[in-house]
Amino acid sequence: MSATERRSLSGSLLGLALTLGAPPAHVEEVRAGVRDAADVLWEGLEGQQGWLLVFDNADDAAVLALGNTSVGDGSGWLRATRAGLIVVTSRIMDQSVWGRHGVVEPVLCLDAADGARMLQDLAPHAGTPAEAQALSRRLGSLPLGLHQAGVYLGSPFASERTFTVYLEALNDRFPRLMSSGGDPRSGVTHTWELSLDALAAQGRGQARPLLRVLSCYAPSADITSALLDPQVLSDSLGTTEMSVRSGLEALLSVGLLELGATPDTDEVTGVVVHPLVAAASRQHLDIHVTTAAARALRVATGRLRPDNPDDWPTWLRLLPHVLSLLSLPPATLSDEGLSATAWAVVSTCSALRWSGAWSAPEGLTRQALRQAELLGPDHEAVLCLRYQQALTALYQGHHADAESQLSGILTAQLDVLGPDHPATLATRHEAAHLLVEKGRLAEAETACRDVLRDQLRVLGPDHPETLATRHWLLRSVGERGRHAEAEAGYRDLLRTRIRVLGPEHPYTLMTYNNLALQIAYQGRFAEAEWTFNELLEARVRVFGSHHPYTLQARSNRASVVTQLGRGAEAEEELRSVLAIERQVLRTDHVNVLDARYELAQAIAAQGRHQEAEAELREVIDAERRVLGVEHHLVGDARLALGQALARQGRHEEAVVELRALLELQTRVLGPTAPRTAATRECLAAMETRGA
């Protein structure tokens, strides 16, 4: 029995009652309004055994009710029985609608393999099982979509004749391929509109724009509760919070949304949109819908902290939705929507970098800048996207790119935002940081002092950015050999960061790491090892074992272990570190090269000088390529190389290497710099032995 319309259903059921032996007079009394129609039908049904009665397409439950009764009370067309079985096919998944005698059985999607078999049954010549499975995954293995695709591909008149061609065509021709010229229920692009029409007829018209908004996010991925804030959505859609909640419940009740996975924390469960539901809904996007989605995303990201490890799992759950909004054509977004999406990307890039995914923001910023072009090059959000792009280059060790980008950003910020804007100061801070990484230590110290002076005036002494500049200033001081001065500064900065940020904030742990280095540089290796052990415990707790900062702490501790005479232990630790670093960083990243330098030192400490030499030569070649020939880290490796040569009895080669290094260091670092002095002393000792 078709249950799409009340009058025709009633006529069909009365005809069934006559077939089952109901007296014609009783049927006439029903039509006259003096006898209950369902009673007449059920007298016949209860007199039979083993029957099946199917009510098909009952998307409006009221069609199955009689008079003032509801479907679920069991007194209308649907009643509890032991004589047979009633099956109702419907989009309504709400158990309360069907009452205590009804059992809701969701008809789930197939898996990709079963979906592929369905496609091949319908279109046996359209491709291989693997190709069919790829199309099945793209269609979310939804039987309706699979059937429509299979029937189309099986037609001799189809333009697309293979699974692969059809899959590629979906991106550009989804409405044509997924529509139907016949019954709207059989067409993917139409079928869910029927459910939305039914909800609107029930006074829940807000479900339609809500679904449009949610379709802007990533299909098949949990749309977290952070994106479902009723207040934010109600403000954007011009309705009430209660209406938003009711609309979400309505979409769940007809299967247009599904509940997401239960979160591990106290967070409320999110929802999931099937990819075909999302694709069909995206055919109806407008700037009001996309702006609402972008605004909700910005609010959600704005409530999180990029530098808070507790928030990093939430950032990762939001990332697919950030990418989904970036896939929307710019023309479908208002300036507000473009701006909101851009700011969400800025925050997301920062969170990814803090969490250790240093390369991830590269593609993200590139997509966001392409989408945000309509805002103009001087828009503050665009400048901040460019800033995130520059930081990505910096953290990956692409120093020339980072320097060029930061210079251009700073020029624009000074013109648009002014010299005292926090974003301008942040760019100046990172430009000074970059000078430290490039080994231009005297310039770096001057630049850090200049920006620190302005940050103290504008932001105050306890602002995190002010404290970050103090950190890099002390790094430049320490790298220039003023270790006692750097140690005292780091101890003071550590106390301040603990007070302002907390003892296990990532910034605090960075200061603790550099304090330990200054202790080691002054030869207090046992104290340094104890400090690194404490730091490493905290970094594993905060970042996890595979974060670049955790691996860096392990490498630093290993260098101290070498100095304490435990070369074999240090070697084992460094090989373990390198195995992971090569997975999470580029093979020529400075952190990897630094760990390889420390590995060579550990090998040399065990007397394997030829093996240490080979490792050092590879490190020097890579560091020259990445950092430049004048960088002080290249000098450190060259000094170690000279020592390795001397320990093999190759004194002439060692003297030639160290004389060349001394000439370079004298010119670049100055004749009194500690690194220059160390090379001079080592060279003098070799020349004395040679004489």
Side-chain angles (χ1 to χ4, degrees):
M1 301 293 174
S2 172
T4 58
E5 196 270 325
R6 185 190 301 269
R7 183 180 295 275
S8 61
L9 175 63
S10 179
S12 297
L13 290 174
L14 288 175
L16 174 59
L18 287 171
T19 302
L20 293 172
H26 289 183
V27 172
E28 291 303 319
E29 289 174 0
V30 169
R31 290 174 176 149
V34 297
R35 186 180 287 271
D36 185 276
D39 288 343
V40 174
L41 172 66
W42 276 96
E43 286 173 5
L45 288 173
E46 292 290 13
Q48 306 287 334
Q49 291 293 320
W51 47 262
L52 171 66
L53 175 58
V54 179
F55 292 100
D56 197 23
N57 291 324
D59 298 336
D60 181 0
V63 171
L64 295 173
L66 287 173
N68 296 323
T69 64
S70 67
V71 176
D73 68 8
S75 61
W77 293 121
L78 301 185
R79 296 184 181 182
T81 181
R82 295 180 182 274
L85 175 66
I86 299 175
V87 172
V88 181
T89 67
S90 174
R91 302 165 194 270
I92 302 171
M93 299 176 65
D94 186 351
Q95 177 68 63
S96 65
V97 170
W98 306 109
R100 65 189 182 90
H101 297 296
V103 178
V104 175
E105 293 284 356
V107 180
L108 304 177
C109 296
L110 305 176
D111 62 29
D114 286 338
R117 284 193 287 274
M118 179 175 175
L119 286 169
Q120 289 194 293
D121 285 346
L122 293 167
H125 306 297
T128 66
E131 291 166 340
Q133 197 161 136
L135 177 56
S136 176
R137 281 192 294 269
R138 172 66 174 82
L139 297 173
S141 299
L142 183 75
L144 176 64
L146 294 167
H147 181 266
Q148 188 159 336
V151 168
Y152 177 88
L153 288 167
S155 167
F157 307 108
S159 302
E160 291 77 21
R161 304 303 299 272
T162 70
F163 298 130
T164 300
V165 173
Y166 188 95
L167 177 61
E168 294 170 351
L170 272 176
N171 293 326
D172 299 323
R173 296 192 289 281
F174 182 89
R176 180 174 70 81
L177 294 174
M178 286 282 108
S179 62
S180 172
D183 180 6
R185 293 175 181 278
S186 65
V188 167
T189 58
H190 301 309
T191 184
W192 293 296
E193 292 301 310
L194 297 175
S195 295
L196 294 171
D197 290 342
L199 292 176
Q202 299 166 23
R204 294 189 285 182
Q206 73 274 25
R208 195 184 304 270
L210 266 176
L211 183 62
R212 304 283 193 254
V213 170
L214 299 183
S215 72
C216 294
Y217 300 130
S220 297
D222 278 13
I223 300 173
T224 69
S225 59
L227 294 172
L228 300 175
D229 188 306
Q231 181 178 347
V232 176
L233 292 173
S234 63
D235 289 345
S236 298
L237 297 176
T239 184
T240 65
E241 295 181 39
M242 184 63 71
S243 178
V244 168
R245 292 190 180 92
S246 174
L248 291 171
E249 291 170 357
L251 291 170
L252 284 168
S253 74
V254 296
L256 291 176
L257 295 180
E258 297 176 11
L259 289 177
T262 303
D264 295 331
T265 63
D266 294 334
E267 184 184 356
V268 177
T269 303
V271 297
V272 176
V273 183
H274 188 279
L276 288 191
V277 176
S281 294
R282 281 193 176 203
Q283 306 307 309
H284 306 280
L285 295 185
D286 58 43
I287 60 171
H288 302 293
V289 165
T290 56
T291 299
R295 186 184 296 157
L297 179 65
R298 183 178 182 187
V299 171
T301 55
R303 290 171 174 167
L304 303 171
R305 280 177 43 197
D307 58 352
N308 183 4
D310 290 340
D311 286 343
W312 292 343
T314 305
W315 283 106
L316 289 178
R317 290 198 294 273
L318 288 174
L319 181 58
H321 306 302
V322 174
L323 292 168
S324 184
L325 278 178
L326 287 177
S327 72
L328 296 177
T332 65
L333 287 152
S334 65
D335 283 357
E336 181 188 354
L338 290 169
S339 176
T341 303
W343 283 117
V345 171
V346 167
S347 300
T348 302
C349 288
S350 182
L352 289 170
R353 189 169 54 256
W354 273 114
S355 68
W358 288 354
S359 62
E362 186 172 359
L364 205 56
T365 52
R366 187 166 52 247
Q367 282 183 264
L369 284 167
R370 188 162 51 243
Q371 187 186 71
E373 281 181 350
L374 293 176
L375 294 174
D378 293 336
H379 192 283
E380 185 178 352
V382 173
L383 292 175
C384 285
L385 283 172
R386 291 175 58 194
Y387 172 78
Q388 291 297 328
Q389 190 176 51
L391 290 191
T392 302
L394 171 57
Y395 276 76
Q396 292 188 91
H398 301 151
H399 293 160
D401 288 346
E403 186 172 31
S404 173
Q405 291 176 35
L406 287 171
S407 176
I409 295 164
L410 183 57
T411 299
Q413 287 175 328
L414 288 169
D415 184 47
V416 176
L417 304 176
D420 288 345
H421 192 281
T424 307
L425 293 173
T427 301
R428 290 177 58 196
H429 158 84
E430 292 298 345
H433 168 194
L434 177 59
L435 290 173
V436 176
E437 300 290 359
K438 288 174 69 68
R440 291 153 56 183
L441 301 175
E443 294 177 67
E445 183 175 349
T446 299
C448 284
R449 292 190 188 280
D450 287 345
V451 69
L452 180 60
R453 181 185 60 249
D454 291 336
Q455 287 174 322
L456 287 168
R457 174 175 54 82
V458 176
L459 304 176
D462 286 348
H463 193 283
E465 290 297 314
T466 305
L467 300 179
T469 301
R470 284 181 60 189
H471 174 94
W472 289 108
L473 171 60
L474 291 168
R475 167 82 180 273
S476 65
V477 168
E479 293 290 358
R480 298 185 74 185
R482 287 145 47 202
H483 302 306
E485 179 185 343
E487 179 188 350
Y490 277 127
R491 289 191 185 280
D492 181 65
L493 178 59
L494 183 62
R495 285 190 293 269
T496 304
R497 279 185 155 169
I498 289 173
R499 174 174 57 81
V500 174
L501 302 173
E504 293 195 343
H505 187 280
Y507 268 145
T508 305
L509 298 180
M510 288 172 66
T511 297
Y512 204 32
N513 177 78
N514 285 22
L515 171 61
L517 286 173
Q518 299 309 312
I519 294 171
Y521 292 157
Q522 296 174 79
R524 289 154 36 213
F525 299 119
E527 182 184 350
E529 182 185 16
W530 180 88
T531 307
F532 276 125
N533 283 337
E534 191 173 68
L535 168 68
L536 188 54
E537 288 180 7
R539 280 195 165 174
V540 170
R541 198 162 50 243
V542 172
F543 295 120
S545 60
H546 282 50
H547 193 288
Y549 287 156
T550 304
L551 299 170
Q552 180 190 54
R554 289 178 63 188
S555 178
N556 290 340
R557 182 182 65 174
S559 71
V560 172
V561 170
T562 299
Q563 295 297 328
L564 288 168
R566 291 152 33 212
E569 178 186 337
E571 180 184 354
E572 182 180 1
E573 175 77 341
L574 287 162
R575 291 194 186 280
S576 173
V577 166
L578 281 165
I580 303 172
E581 280 189 332
R582 287 177 171 130
Q583 296 174 15
V584 300
L585 299 171
R586 294 187 350 265
T587 56
D588 62 352
H589 191 280
V590 65
N591 286 23
V592 177
L593 298 177
D594 185 60
R596 292 185 64 187
Y597 164 79
E598 296 297 348
L599 175 62
Q601 295 288 66
I603 292 170
Q606 299 173 74
R608 292 159 29 218
H609 302 300
Q610 187 174 1
E611 186 180 341
E613 177 196 347
E615 186 71 28
L616 286 167
R617 289 192 183 280
E618 290 185 11
V619 169
I620 290 167
D621 287 345
E623 286 184 338
R624 280 173 167 162
R625 188 172 61 253
V626 173
L627 301 173
V629 296
E630 296 182 351
H631 199 285
H632 58 270
L633 293 181
V634 180
D636 293 346
R638 291 182 66 186
L639 176 59
L641 175 62
Q643 293 168 333
L645 292 170
R647 286 164 183 156
Q648 295 176 70
R650 295 154 61 188
H651 292 285
E652 289 185 8
E653 292 178 63
V655 168
V656 169
E657 177 66 30
L658 294 186
R659 281 177 178 170
L661 173 60
L662 181 60
E663 187 278 328
L664 184 146
Q665 289 177 325
T666 301
R667 175 171 52 83
V668 175
L669 303 178
T672 62
R675 281 187 167 89
T676 308
T679 302
R680 186 185 299 113
E681 291 172 9
C682 186
L683 178 61
M686 288 183 188
E687 290 175 331
T688 300
R689 284 197 298 272

